[in-house]
Amino acid sequence: MGAITYHQLAAENASQLIGTKVFDNPVDPSQLAAFIADDGHEMIIAMMKGEVIGMASGTVLLHPDKQPLFFINEVGVLESMRNQGIGAELTGRLMELARGKGCQGIWLATEPDNGAARALYRKLHARETEEVVVYDWDGAMDE
């Protein structure tokens, strides 16, 4: 096994995401370009031997009456690389990036039966809330 390196996603390294298996779906080059072009979107990627093995992404949320918040959208690690601390390292680095952008709070949501994700967030000392109801339109919560 080689050394794992972590990088903030930028235009210079974005093409490395094409063809990777750390996302739910194949990377769409036009969506990737839009993601890179928007300063409010952030991603940390983990690489080993030139291959992307993990990522964590999020978005700065702005409100006229509050300090910026950061929403962690997704954390993904290749199945063969899980349980090695990569997800925790990615998420921790993403949270530090968010704090560096002035975000005063960081949050995310996951499914009640996603034991692996819940264990990861507990490991990172997240406060788990209860009784949150999610509404969606146009299939936003479909996988």
Side-chain angles (χ1 to χ4, degrees):
M1 186 158 106
I4 299 170
T5 58
Y6 297 88
H7 311 272
Q8 185 175 353
L9 186 68
E12 302 81 48
N13 61 8
S15 65
Q16 294 175 307
L17 295 180
I18 305 296
T20 188
K21 304 291 185 202
V22 298
F23 296 97
D24 295 332
N25 302 298
V27 172
D28 178 325
S30 64
Q31 291 298 320
L32 177 57
F35 186 97
I36 293 295
D38 188 324
D39 289 340
H41 295 295
E42 296 293 349
M43 184 179 296
I44 303 292
I45 58 175
M47 299 192 67
M48 187 173 70
K49 297 181 181 177
E51 178 186 3
V52 176
I53 60 167
M55 65 83 200
S57 69
T59 304
V60 175
L61 301 175
L62 300 176
H63 298 272
D65 65 331
K66 299 177 184 84
Q67 293 298 311
L69 296 173
F70 193 81
F71 173 69
I72 297 177
N73 184 46
E74 189 173 12
V75 179
V77 177
L78 289 180
E79 193 168 338
S80 63
M81 300 299 295
R82 292 181 184 163
N83 298 313
Q84 299 181 46
I86 298 166
E89 185 70 23
L90 285 163
T91 306
R93 287 175 183 249
L94 186 63
M95 290 189 305
E96 286 306 310
L97 181 61
R99 290 176 180 127
K101 290 181 143 251
C103 294
Q104 300 296 306
I106 301 168
W107 69 282
L108 59 82
T110 193
E111 298 80 9
D113 64 348
N114 190 339
R118 293 177 74 183
L120 168 63
Y121 306 135
R122 287 180 186 132
K123 179 179 179 179
L124 292 168
H125 310 289
R127 178 180 57 168
E128 187 171 293
T129 62
E130 296 181 14
E131 299 181 18
V132 174
V133 178
V134 176
Y135 297 90
D136 79 289
W137 287 263
D138 303 326
M141 299 302 292
D142 297 347
E143 290 196 296

